[in-house]
Every structure is written in structure tokens, then in C-alpha cells.
Amino acid sequence: MNAPHQQPDDQWDLWEVFLQEGENEPHTHAGSIRAADAENALQNARDVFSRRGAVKNLWIVRSRDIVATVPGDTASFFEPGSDKVYRHPQFYRFTLADELWKKP
Amino acid sequence: MSENTAMLEEQFRRRIAGGETIEPNDWMPDKYRSQLKRLISQHAHSEIIGMLPEGNWITRAPSLRRKLALLAKVQDEAGHGHYLYSAAETLGISREEMFDQLHAGKAKYSSIFNYPTLSWADMGMIGWLVDGAAIINQTTMAKCSYGPYSRALLRICKEENFHKKQGMEVIAMLIASGPKGKAMVQESFDRFWWPTLMMFGPHDAESPNSPDMLKWKIKLKGNDELRQRFIDMTVEQAHAWGLTIPDPHLKFNEQTRSWETGEIDWKEFQAVINGNGPCNHERMEARRNAHDNGAWVRDAARAYEAKHRRNGGTTV
Ligand SMILES: [Fe+2]
Ligand SMILES: [Fe+2]
């Protein structure tokens, strides 16, 4: 990614756009736009991603400020969550008339 | 090819075969990347150049309703260009580089936009035929293996239906207005029919990039199959409107239940693709002028941002 304000080309900074498209919906990534500053970014994001209303709220963030997992490492990075079956309700089994209670 | 690369390519092939989506930071073969850069940037250029034939009629639209529809459509096409340039940028090509390629005349864009828009009926024809053909291409491509392109296409597809419908409304009204209106539609149809069929590209046998692109799911259907789908749909619509298809060889094949056309004039297609269509020069000049005349806006926005940064604050 380019260092701030030292663009090799004629283009503005790259920003990522997140839209909340309905009441009680999460913000989801919609795409990217180019803009010189935050105000300009909000306006461009509006013009590019909400030409038909339906957008409740809009977030923008400079692309270079986003930190993401590294694709090659994702398997090991997410490993701690992938082998814990007991974190799912399906792991637990019982009936209400369970004999367990009656046994000594 | 090193052993490591061979292994990575095999993994990549398996990911795609398994229906996985490739994301910008994932490993990908160089050729996959370069094919996508070419394809997505050409698509982006087509959206941007595609604004020009219709922009030509905004000031002359016959009613406020039509002017609003046309303006909204042209704005959408600018938006589509943005989605696509952004998708291409994720592959490591800058927007400036893509613009330079376009402005230097080195990049291709859809050949259809090098034809002139001579009558108001052409605005209906573009929505009906050109956007109609684009919808068939884009809904298919939306299932492609590259995530950013696929997502951009999904967004585009949602907006295209209005483009097609407003065009069909224009045509329906012209036809309903009487023989003069209908003649205007027929004349426009005669000019746009063949160039629209060319939009799907050469026959699969003559399409040099096809095998690789099919393997990598950068392309999901052959050019001929998509073209045939368009023909079958559009011939029926044209007949319903009482229009004549400008093709003496057109006939219905009872066995395949589809319409067979005469051969496309591929010499014309090659000429237009290679810069010698009726409007190539005009389109490129309009595009370069728009870019150059917009330089002060880009400079002003940057100066404004720099001023606020010097003052120690942001602009919001
Ligand atoms: Fe479009
Ligand atoms: Fe369109």
C-alpha cells in the first residue's frame, strides 16, 4: 500500500466502504472508493453505493488502516475455534425424564 | 516451473474445482492474475465509455421522465465503472495505469459503444439490446471464482434490470405511437441487431483465451451459448412487437427449439475492435477530454485535504 500522501499516481486515497442496509442489520463491506479526505470519501461512497436509498448508515475507513489475517496462516490462526465441539449446543444430549437423576 | 509452484497451482486448481472463492491476498497463478486484470479493466472501460452514446441524448430526451431515466442510467454506468476499477485494483494494477492504457488507445472496451446513436429510438434500443446482452453476460459471470469481481457483478446485476426495462418502455411507446414511431424503431433495430450479437465475442473455436478462463472459472459459459440465449429471448420479443429481424437467414430449428441466425460479419467486428469503427476516435477523444478537464477537480480536492491537514484537523 502507498505511504500516506505520497501517491505514485494521480489518484486519491483508497477507502473501504461498509453499508448498513436495513434496520438492525450489521454493517457489511460493499467495496472501495477513491477520495482525497474523509468528507469526500463519505460523499463518493454515497454516490457510488447508495443511489437507490436503502442505506441506513455508512462507514468508511482508509484501506491501509485495515488489519487482516494472512491468507496462508488462516488454518492455524483459526484452529483454536475449529476443534471445540463442546461450544455447540448439538454437543449436549439429554431427555427430560433422564434416568441419571434416579441412579445413586 | 518449480516444484513449489506446481504444488501451489494444483492446490489452486482444487480450490476452484471445489467452488471456493479466490480473494485478493490468496496465492494465484500469474496468468490467472493477468487474465483477470485484462478482463475486469476492459469491463470497467466499457461501463465508462458506455456512458457516451447515451450521454449524447440527455439534453434532447423528449420528456422529463425520459431525461430522469437516462440520467439515472448513465450515473449507474459510472458507478459500475467504479466497482470494476476497484475490483481490478485488488489485483495490483493502479487506476492510473488502467486510465493510461485506455487513453493511450491500448485497452479494449466493448465494441458496441463505437456505433453512433442517431435517433431517439437508439436510447430504447441500447436499454433493450445492449443492456439485455450485458445482463446475460454479467449474471453468468457473477458466479466467477474471483471474489471482488463476483461481488461487483452482483451489485451491477441488481441495477441492470431497470436499464433494460426503461429501454423497452421507450420502444413500446414509440411502437404504440403509430407507423412513424414504429419505423423509427425498426431503423434503429436494423443498425443495432448485428453489433449486439458481436458483443458476445468471437466463436468459441476462435476465442484464444477461452480454455484457460473456463478452467479457472473466470468464464463460465462459452460465447456461443450466451449469444444463443440472447438470440432466442430477443427474437421472440421482437416478433411480439412486430419487428423484422434484419437477417434473411434467420430460421427456427424445430429440433433444438432455437433460432439460427446467419453468419456475423467478423471483419466488421475486427475492424471495430481494432479502432476503426464509426465512433472509436470520437469516443476516445471525449474520454480524454473528460479526464483532462477534470484535473482541476482532483487537484482542488487534494489541496483542500492538505490545507486541513496542515491546520491539524480532518475535514470532517
Ligand atoms: Fe453497466
Ligand atoms: Fe446498464
Side-chain angles (χ1 to χ4, degrees):
Chain A
M1 205 135 296
N2 307 325
H5 316 298
Q6 290 186 342
Q7 287 128 346
D9 60 31
D10 194 27
Q11 297 299 312
W12 297 324
D13 269 358
L14 190 63
W15 303 71
E16 300 305 316
V17 180
F18 297 81
L19 306 179
Q20 186 190 29
E21 291 188 282
E23 206 66 57
N24 202 19
E25 293 282 327
H27 287 69
T28 46
H29 184 239
S32 329
I33 45 120
R34 293 271 175 185
D37 60 30
E39 184 183 2
N40 185 211
L42 277 174
Q43 289 165 349
N44 287 354
R46 174 200 60 196
D47 293 347
V48 174
F49 291 102
S50 72
R51 284 191 299 281
R52 285 170 179 75
V55 174
K56 285 257 146 206
N57 190 248
L58 206 157
W59 290 348
I60 42 134
V61 58
R62 277 197 171 82
S63 307
R64 64 167 177 268
D65 290 334
I66 289 190
V67 182
T69 49
V70 184
D73 291 348
T74 45
S76 61
F77 185 80
F78 292 116
E79 200 274 331
S82 64
D83 62 346
K84 296 186 174 50
V85 282
Y86 50 88
R87 284 181 175 171
H88 297 275
Q90 294 86 342
F91 183 71
Y92 300 93
R93 297 173 189 284
F94 62 90
T95 62
L96 281 175
D98 207 302
E99 298 301 309
L100 268 177
W101 298 103
K102 293 173 191 163
K103 279 180 188 152
Chain B
M1 194 191 307
S2 78
E3 213 170 290
N4 190 33
T5 316
M7 198 190 73
L8 285 168
E9 276 201 15
E10 174 54 21
Q11 266 175 8
F12 182 80
R13 196 195 57 76
R14 253 185 277 152
R15 285 190 65 194
I16 291 192
E20 281 184 47
T21 306
I22 308 302
E23 294 297 338
N25 294 327
D26 294 351
W27 186 89
M28 60 186 86
D30 290 342
K31 201 157 172 224
Y32 178 85
R33 185 185 297 277
S34 61
Q35 291 275 27
L36 272 173
K37 275 186 199 169
R38 183 184 58 82
L39 185 77
I40 304 175
S41 62
Q42 282 179 8
H43 190 171
H45 298 328
S46 302
E47 301 285 350
I48 297 300
I49 299 289
M51 294 194 286
L52 299 171
E54 287 175 305
N56 183 32
W57 279 88
I58 290 174
T59 54
R60 290 175 289 161
S63 69
L64 184 58
R65 181 184 165 87
R66 295 289 170 229
K67 195 189 288 263
L68 287 174
L70 206 51
L71 262 175
K73 180 180 189 293
V74 171
Q75 283 174 333
D76 275 355
E77 306 302 4
H80 297 175
H82 277 291
Y83 303 155
L84 292 163
Y85 282 125
S86 294
E89 281 181 286
T90 64
L91 293 158
I93 180 169
S94 74
R95 202 171 284 218
E96 182 78 348
E97 210 176 326
M98 291 184 268
F99 284 170
D100 285 348
Q101 288 172 353
L102 177 65
H103 298 157
K106 285 189 223 148
K108 286 186 174 140
Y109 54 86
S110 184
S111 55
I112 193 75
F113 301 120
N114 289 317
Y115 291 85
T117 44
L118 304 175
S119 80
W120 170 249
D122 291 0
M123 295 303 98
M125 210 50 70
I126 288 182
W128 177 35
L129 299 183
V130 177
D131 288 89
I135 288 172
I136 289 183
N137 264 327
Q138 289 167 349
T139 45
T140 311
M141 283 301 292
K143 295 171 203 114
C144 77
S145 61
Y146 189 56
Y149 191 31
S150 160
R151 292 191 287 272
L153 285 165
L154 282 174
R155 216 163 256 291
I156 288 173
C157 289
K158 277 195 206 159
E159 302 182 335
E160 288 289 353
N161 282 339
F162 136 69
H163 297 183
K164 185 177 174 183
K165 276 193 78 181
Q166 63 83 36
M168 291 177 84
E169 192 184 90
V170 167
I171 291 177
M173 281 188 74
L174 278 172
I175 288 175
S177 73
K180 256 176 96 180
K182 188 168 175 191
M184 200 171 157
V185 170
Q186 182 67 54
E187 186 275 334
S188 171
F189 190 53
D190 291 346
R191 281 183 287 111
F192 273 90
W193 172 252
W194 289 106
T196 308
L197 297 190
M198 294 175 196
M199 278 176 71
F200 294 90
H203 288 309
D204 297 325
E206 274 108 60
S207 183
N209 299 313
S210 277
D212 263 347
M213 290 171 72
L214 285 163
K215 180 178 81 184
W216 283 327
K217 292 194 190 164
I218 294 177
K219 190 167 182 171
L220 291 108
K221 302 273 184 210
N223 297 348
D224 291 318
E225 183 183 341
L226 294 176
R227 179 165 27 238
Q228 191 58 49
R229 203 187 290 173
F230 174 81
I231 291 168
D232 288 334
M233 183 173 75
T234 311
V235 167
E236 303 289 339
Q237 292 168 341
H239 287 164
W241 267 326
L243 296 172
T244 308
I245 318 286
D247 179 359
H249 300 288
L250 185 80
K251 61 173 189 295
F252 189 69
N253 183 324
E254 289 288 347
Q255 250 126 47
T256 57
R257 311 288 310 156
S258 78
W259 289 93
E260 286 170 6
T261 65
E263 193 49 89
I264 291 168
D265 182 352
W266 295 111
K267 268 205 214 101
E268 177 180 322
F269 174 74
Q270 288 304 336
V272 177
I273 277 283
N274 292 321
N276 301 315
C279 296
N280 294 58
H281 184 73
E282 193 185 325
R283 299 290 184 244
M284 289 309 300
E285 199 154 86
R287 179 60 219 139
R288 283 188 208 109
N289 284 341
H291 189 73
D292 294 347
N293 296 337
W296 71 269
V297 180
R298 297 190 290 276
D299 292 343
R302 194 165 283 156
Y304 181 76
E305 187 272 337
K307 185 177 110 185
H308 281 270
R309 189 158 32 86
R310 271 198 310 275
N311 296 344
T314 61
T315 52
V316 163

